[in-house]
Structure formats: C-alpha cells, structure tokens
Amino acid sequence: MPYIPHTPEEVREMLDVVGLPDIEALFAEIPPALRPQSFDLAKGMTEMAVRTAMERLAAKNHIEMVSFLGGGYYDHYVPAASDMLLARGEFYTAYTPYQPEASQGTLQAIFEYQTAVTRLLDMECSNAGVYDGGTALYEALMMAVRHTRRKKAVVSATVSPIYRIVLSTYTKNLHLDLVVVPHKNGLDDFDALAAAIDGDTAAIVVQNPNFFGNVQDFTELFATARAKGAVSIMSCYPVLQTVLKTPGAMGADIATAEGQSLGLPLSFGGPYLGIMTCRKTMIRQMPGRIAGRTKDAQGRTGYVLTLQAREQHIRRQKATSNICSNQALCALRALINVCLTGNEGLTRQAARSIENANYAAWKLCSIPGVSLLNEAPFGNEFAAVFPVNAKKVVRMLMDDGIVPGFPLGRYYPGLENALLICCTEKHDRADIDRLARRLEKAL
Amino acid sequence: MSTVFSKSVPGREGVWPDLPKTAPIDFIPAALLRDGDAGLPSLSELDVVRHFTALSRKNYGIDSNFYPLGSCTMKYNPKFTEEVAALAGFARLHPLTPQLPGGGDMSAGSLEVMYEMERCLCEITGMAAFTLHPMAGAHGELTGALMIAAYHADKGHKKTKIICPDSAHGTNPASAAIAGFEVVTIASKDGIIDPAALAAVIDDETAAVMMTVPNTLGLFECHLPEIVALCRKVDALLYYDGANLNAILGKLRVGDAGFDVVHLNLHKTFATPHGGGGPGAGPVGVSERLIPFLPISRVQKDDAGRFSLSYDHPKSIGYVAPFYGNFGVVLKAYAYILRLGREGLIRVSEAAVLSANYMRKRLADAIEVPFNRVCMHEFVASAAKLAAEKNVRALDIAKALLDRGYHAPTIYFPLIVKEALMFEPTETESKDTLDTFVADLLDILALAETDPEAIRACPTTLPVGRLDETYAARAMEITDDL
C-alpha cells in the first residue's frame, strides 16, 4: 500500500507485542451497530493514473483567455525561485512552531514577514497572518469592538462586497450593528461616513483602493473617527502600497489586506493570506500568532511565538479569536516573493499595473458610448460603463477569448452596465489594444 | 542568523519587471502617493535563495524528522499532490470565473473536483452533504456552530449553550463562543465522556454537544449511543471534531453513528502538508436536517452532467469564505483519496492504530500511561512521576527528543493529564523508525533517573537552546523596527 510501510511480517510482530490476535481486535470497542453501513469508494489508483485524471480535470478549466478579472485578486508575476524555495520539505512539512528550538526557520520567517508587511503598510505591529483578506477585516472589527467596548461599525459600501458578505455571516450572532454607507458613483461618501460615526461606533471600515479601483485619502475621516473614540480600519492592496499613501500615514489604527497579490497563485479562491497590522497600542487585542525576538541562555538570538495568552489553546472560550492556523506557508511565500522581487521590483509592478490600467481606461473611453463610472484617480483597476448590460459585454468577448472584467451589477444594483476592469504588469499593450478593438466591434 | 532586511544592499537587482514608461504621479495626485519607499529588501536572487535555504535548515519537518506530534497527524505528505495543485489549469483559475455569465463551463474542471470531493467525504463519513468552504479546522468548527445556531433559530428554539468535555481541543470552546454560545465544560470519567455528567447538565437550552472520537486521549467514546440518545431527547445537535478521523476510516462513520455536524482537517487525515502552521482546510459535513443551512455557494450538477454554483438557499448561514474554500488544499486531498481508494483508506486507520498501540506497549513499562488500554491512533503518557521525583518535566523530555533528531510529542495536552506527552506515530512511519524512537526515548527516561540535570539542559545540538519567552513577551520585538 502506498505510504504505508508495514509488511505483513512486521504487522504480525507488532500485534504480538500488543498482545492481540489480529487487526480487527484493535477496533473491538466499536460495537457492530456502529460499524459503517457503507464505505463505497473507488479502488485506489497508481500515481500515474491519478495524475492523468487530474490533468484532464485541469484541462477543463479555461485559463488560456486574456483576462482582466481582478476584484481584489490579482495575477502578478511570481519569480521561479519562489516555488523552488517553498518546495523545501523543512518548510512545508513542518508543523506550527510550538517547539521553537526546532523551528527557528519558520519563526524567523514569520518575524521577517511581520517586518515586511508593517513596512509595506507603514504600521507598527503585525501578526503572522490569518485566512484571507475578508477574515482579516472581520478580526480587525472584533479588535475594535473589544478595544472600545462598543457594538456598532460603520462600513463603506466601497469595501469589497466579497469581504462584506463574510463580515455579515460572522457577526450575525454577536449582536453587532453593521451600518453600510452607500457609495456615490463608486466613491466613498465622506460626509455620510463621518455623519454615521457616533458615540456607539466601534470602528469605521474603509478600503483603498476601493472595490471600484479608486484611490482616495481617508486622513480626515480617520481624524473624525478618532475624535469620536472610534477605531479606524483600512483594507488595502499590498502591491500598490509601495506607491500609494499608506494606511499608517492616513492615521489608520488597524490596516488589513488580502495578501494573494504578493506571489500566491489565484488557485480558484485559496489558500490565500489575510494580512493584519495595527498600532502598538492595540497589540494585545490582535488575534493569531505573533513571532518575537529573544535570546537563549548563551545569549544567542532566537525567535518564539509570543503573547500566547491571547490564544485559544490557553484561553479557550475567552480567547481573542478561534483561529488556530496562520497560513504560515502563504506568509512565507509572500515574504520570499517580496525579497525576490525586491523593493524596486514591487514598485515597478505597481507602476506598470497603474500605467496599464490607465492606458486601458483611455483606450476604452475612446469607444463611443463607453465612459468611466467616475473621474477620480484609480490604481490598477477601474469601472467602465457601457451602453448595454455588462454581462452581455462579457458574453460577447468571451467568445473571442477575452475575459473583459467583472460585471458590477452582481454586487451593486443599479450598476448593471458597469464592468470592473483590472490590469497588472503581466498585461501588455497588445492585450489592451485587442480588448479595445473587440469591445468596439461588439458595441 | 541576521535577518533578510539587514542583508539588503540598495541597488542590488532582484527579479524586476521592465521599467514603466510613466510614473504613478502621472495619473495619481502627489497627495495620494506614498512619501519615501517601503523599505523592503534589495537583494540578488542568490542572496534570497541562500537566506531561505539556510532558514529551512533550522526547521524540523516530516521530510527530515519523525514527528509523533499527538493530535496533529503528521503523516507523510505525498509529493505528486503538490504537482497536481500546481497544474496551471487549477492554479491560474480566477475565483470570480464561475460568477461570470457562462463561467460555470469555464471552470468546469474545478467545479467537478469540488463536487466529487464532497461525494467522497460524504461516503467516508456517512454525512448527507458537505461544504468545502471552511479554510481550517477551527473555521469548520465556527461554520458548524453557526449552522447549529441557524437550525435552532429556524425551529424557534431558545438555545444558549454548547457542551464540551474537558478533554476537548481549545478551539472547540473558542469557536462556540464566537458563534454566540455559552460554553459548558463537563468532566471526563476514566478518560471518556461520562453520560451521567452529561445528563446532569444537558437541558432544553443545550444547542449542541461537541466531541471528538476517538477523543484527545486516543480513546474510543464507548458511551456514544447514550450520548446520542441524550442529545435527541432535547433536540441538541451532536458535533464531531474530525481531528482524529485518522483512527476510524472504514471502521466508524460518524453520520451512521448519529452525528449531525462534522468538520474534517484535510491537513491531518488526508495528508496535505501543514506548512509550518497552515494553510489547512476544514470541510464540514451535515446530516439531512441541516442541509438547508449550509454556506453558499453550493456546487451542483445538472442532468446533462454540467456543473454550476447555486446561491438560492434562503436558510443558508451565508458566506464563510470569500469563495469556495482553500481549493488548492482540497485538490491535494482529493488526489490523495483517489490514490489510496477504499482499501487504502481502511489500511491507513488500521496501520495508524496498530502503530500507536505498538508504541504504547513498548513504552508503558518505562513511563506512566494513565489509561493503559487499547488505544486508537494516539495515546497519552504522563511524566508526573519523573517531575515529582527528579524534577524532569514533560517539557524536558520533549527537548531531549529534539536533541536526538525527533520532533517532540504534543505536551501538556489534553489538560486533564498532568505532565502529558501525547504520541501519534501515524501509519506512514515504519516499524524500524518506531523501534529506534522507542530505544532513544527509553534511553532518555533512563538518563532522567541518573542524570536529570543533563535532560533539563536539553536541547544542546540545535541552533539555539531554550529561549527566554518572558523576555520576548516583555520586550515585544516583533519586527526589525521595534
């Protein structure tokens, strides 16, 4: 049997030591009435046969198209060395570093990851990561609730609807009041957001660039929140953070992000990485693992998981969160990608993505009947409005091998004619020109 | 070893894209741009490769070391499944694809994997339906607890509490609390749930009982039928924590046994790598009566054999993940299930349970095993006597094992055994490995009697010795900048 090394002779010897006649005797405590009514699985297959079957399934997915799908999940270039380093068994077959002396590799990597994301987001503290960007935002909100002992959150409608639907599921039984402030043509309604913050508000939750790709400044809004005793939470996009004004500079108390764009494959939705950072004053409210630097008795530098008193294996039902894992390998992948691409490389990725998106917007706007949802600046993604339903536009272009973007009507009633279009440094002008040509033809 | 940041040399070229023709300031006003750069490293590719290769060598992993870490099922992770997950057709598929018009056909391969994987997990556990969305075991627990709440709310029940035994994983009570429940803990008797203790606290306000089988002591819960009956009487749901499923494949299906909600840890039983603390995957299975409450979306197959996602489930708890769970992890587990098949999976549990019992027997003369009877896939020993007599604690034995090239067993868990050492050898370790390990552990235990100081000084062969955790918590150096 693959992966099970026991020979029949060894099984016999082991049973003799245990003092039982046969394998079945090991399971004698499970009464006949509780035995399976069926266990009807297929016969095992050779490695070659499984691979062939899986290759056939993979081939049923259409990834050959030129795609402008984004929505918070972006296809950036990943250096080859990243996969090679990740494939080291000492990293990916290790467990959580509860035995620090035998886990210094993982622990130092977490420490370096924490350093990388705090610098990128311009914040003071980070944990080792949570499941994804949406979970990070939920955990940030719960930090604010514990910190302020208030039960209301003001959330802008421009925050990713994919995060917001998760937020509402998680908070359903916690008696929290989530107030969603509508957007204005894809932009945050700053007056309405400020007005919605009151003495019961635990947090204001915004996103930059927002779901429509627009880049804005939340400094004033965060100052208003602070004056009213509310925590400012900002979700952001790590690659663009190399060039955009930082959450730290805007005065955010907690900044979160979906880490997928830092070198993780799209992989149909996961595994991803939830980046969580905060000001030092809120560190004890932070959920999840945190690595800290210390020394051993001989004065050698080493790393340990620290502040564990917040966690469920100690605090059980009183823990800051139920989350036990930290997507460690995803955090490591992000760190390795940041190091390989480097400060300059990531800055270029951001600049090229912004350049491509702006070129695409300019090309598309030259098509009669096509306009942008708003005139505000944007990063690598923008919302374009068409004279017809955006779903129809998608259908027409998919036949030509192009996925032109994501129809916004799915999450924003009233925007049925709008398409969210993203670019990264992987697109070239020829891709964008082809998109524009086909769109012009289709309309 | 210095950090990657201290190795940075400005100007050193990494894997850069070409220079753009424009700068962000050509499109975005300066006030919206960053002041100064992010301070990320500038390194050559070789610098980075050396740094992370050196870091990897400071880790124990299954590929390099025996890892008998109880409750974690550190079995071998087959390599071909990594290649399967990396196939471009899977790895490059954007998760929004099936939400596009005609997108179901564009993602037909992935949807088929999800559909078939759900069928496999249903058959393995005897549950009526599965969701693959939860992204880890604890996330599965939360998903389960939210469904339990939704079920009772739908029936108009006023249920406020969830009962957990004192041997439960710490995430059980934490997840129940986050789903809005009060947690009631009951004491075990002879290492298992005491039906009398359960009967004393279970009442009309009990929403569910959370348990794991075998439990965290590696023991089968012999009173399971009585526990099921007690739950049924008050319409409390029975929750199965699948962390220990590796013991019962083909021997017990929790669905047949009367459980209503189960979460599985694909990174345990189904051999996906732990990655140093994730990513995992925690699919949740339910009995018939909980199907309406499953998270959305759900994958479906029509009469023509076409796959799509459905969202119209008004009683659903909603979305627990941004998309469809940790699909990359699900893929590896699915490939593993196909590879082993029916007989292979049964053999997994048989060999895992045999190995645990073999190790228990070989060690029981040298160290106390508090519940020394036939165990399932793991067992718990206690160093309480050594601690009292020689001041050699479970922690010290763990560190001595590290010195000999083994990862330590789980220590100080479950909480109900003093100085606990929890061993789970898994089915993928050979008898030779177990024999060598036992010999080394016996040696350590003997040395603890004659030279306890030597054991307390361990580890001495690793990159660092025992680290000052108090200093770490006080100094809070959690980045290179603090």
Side-chain angles (χ1 to χ4, degrees), chain A residues 128-164:
Chain A
V130 293
Y131 306 138
D132 78 298
T135 315
L137 203 55
Y138 157 75
E139 292 288 357
L141 178 55
M142 296 313 293
M143 283 174 72
V145 167
R146 287 190 297 269
H147 187 74
T148 60
R149 296 167 192 264
R150 297 176 182 180
K151 290 272 200 177
K152 175 180 156 185
V154 175
V155 185
S156 175
T158 70
V159 171
S160 168
I162 298 163
Y163 299 165
R164 284 189 284 118

Side-chain angles (χ1 to χ4, degrees), chain A residues 34, chain B residues 141 148 162-169 172-173 186 188 191-194 198 208-216 219-229 231 237-245 252 254 257-263:
Chain A
L34 287 183
Chain B
E141 293 173 14
I148 289 165
I162 283 185
I163 300 173
C164 297
D166 53 4
S167 59
H169 292 116
N172 288 180
I186 54 167
S188 304
I192 57 178
I193 292 180
D194 174 11
L198 178 60
V209 175
M210 290 179 97
M211 60 188 288
T212 181
V213 183
N215 67 19
T216 57
L219 301 176
F220 182 72
E221 290 284 358
C222 297
H223 305 298
L224 188 52
E226 291 161 80
I227 295 165
V228 172
C231 287
L237 299 169
L238 193 55
Y239 184 98
Y240 176 71
D241 174 338
N244 296 342
L245 185 74
L252 172 78
V254 289
F259 283 87
D260 297 286
V261 192
V262 321
H263 87 260

Side-chain angles (χ1 to χ4, degrees), chain A residues 1-3 5-6 13 18 24 26-27 29 34-42 44-47 51 54 57-58 60-63 70 73 88-96 99 101-106 108 111-112 114-115 119-120 131-132 138 165 169-170 172-174 216 241 243-246 266-272 283 292-296 300-301 306 312 316-317 322 325-329 340-345 348 352 355 358 398 410-411, chain B residues 2-5 14-19 21-22 27 31-34 37-41 51-52 55-56 58-63 67 69 72 74 77-80 83 88-89 91 93-95 99 101 106-107 109-110 112 123 138-139 168 171 173 175 178-179 222 247 250-253 256 273-279 311 317 319-320 322-328 338-339 341-342 355 361 373 399 427-428 431 465-466 468 471 473 476-481:
Chain A
M1 197 56 71
Y3 323 127
H6 305 52
E13 287 168 37
V18 178
E24 220 18 74
L26 291 165
F27 297 90
E29 278 192 308
L34 287 183
R35 291 308 178 106
Q37 290 165 15
S38 119
F39 200 67
D40 187 18
L41 296 158
M45 291 158 77
T46 62
E47 181 176 311
R51 269 192 66 147
M54 297 306 287
L57 285 166
K60 290 186 184 178
N61 290 333
H62 292 270
I63 52 151
Y73 306 89
R88 290 195 63 93
E90 298 92 329
F91 282 137
Y92 85 89
T93 71
Y95 191 71
T96 305
Q99 293 291 341
E101 302 90 339
S103 315
Q104 284 300 298
T106 296
Q108 184 171 333
F111 178 88
E112 292 177 355
Q114 290 166 182
T115 306
R119 287 191 183 186
L120 198 51
Y131 306 138
D132 78 298
Y138 157 75
I165 51 183
T169 303
Y170 284 6
K172 205 177 287 173
N173 301 337
L174 299 177
Q216 301 171 100
Q241 229 33 89
V243 301
L244 295 183
K245 183 168 181 179
T246 61
L266 286 164
S267 199
F268 205 49
Y272 289 163
I283 184 73
R293 185 155 51 194
T294 184
K295 294 204 182 309
D296 70 3
R300 290 176 296 193
T301 296
T306 192
Q312 25 68 31
R316 296 174 82 82
Q317 61 262 40
N322 72 323
S325 60
N326 66 330
Q327 306 286 92
L329 201 67
L340 285 167
T341 311
N343 195 72
E344 171 67 16
R348 287 188 189 186
R352 288 184 68 92
E355 177 178 274
N358 279 273
M398 287 221 298
R410 182 180 171 83
Y411 293 112
Chain B
S2 52
T3 68
V4 76
F5 295 93
V15 188
W16 296 351
D18 276 337
L19 262 179
K21 295 183 183 67
T22 59
F27 307 107
L32 295 174
L33 294 176
R34 181 170 188 138
D37 78 26
L40 299 174
H51 179 77
F52 287 99
L55 279 189
S56 78
K58 293 168 179 270
N59 260 10
Y60 280 6
I62 299 166
D63 283 2
Y67 230 100
L69 191 65
C72 301
M74 297 298 282
N77 310 128
K79 303 305 165 198
F80 87 101
E83 287 199 4
L93 190 64
H94 196 290
Q99 298 181 24
M106 285 180 66
S107 39
S110 291
E112 185 171 340
E123 186 58 28
H139 198 213
T171 49
S175 300
I178 283 165
C222 297
K251 303 295 178 188
L252 172 78
R253 296 201 315 170
D256 300 343
H274 283 73
Y311 293 87
I317 58 166
Y319 296 79
V320 297
F323 298 104
Y324 329 105
N326 281 345
F327 180 73
L338 291 184
R339 174 94 170 97
R342 179 182 190 277
S355 291
K361 264 300 218 217
R373 51 191 169 92
K399 301 302 183 194
E427 76 282 0
T428 60
K431 177 171 175 293
R466 294 191 201 190
D468 186 344
Y471 173 83
M476 285 251 295
E477 285 180 42
I478 59 171
T479 73
D480 243 358
D481 306 317

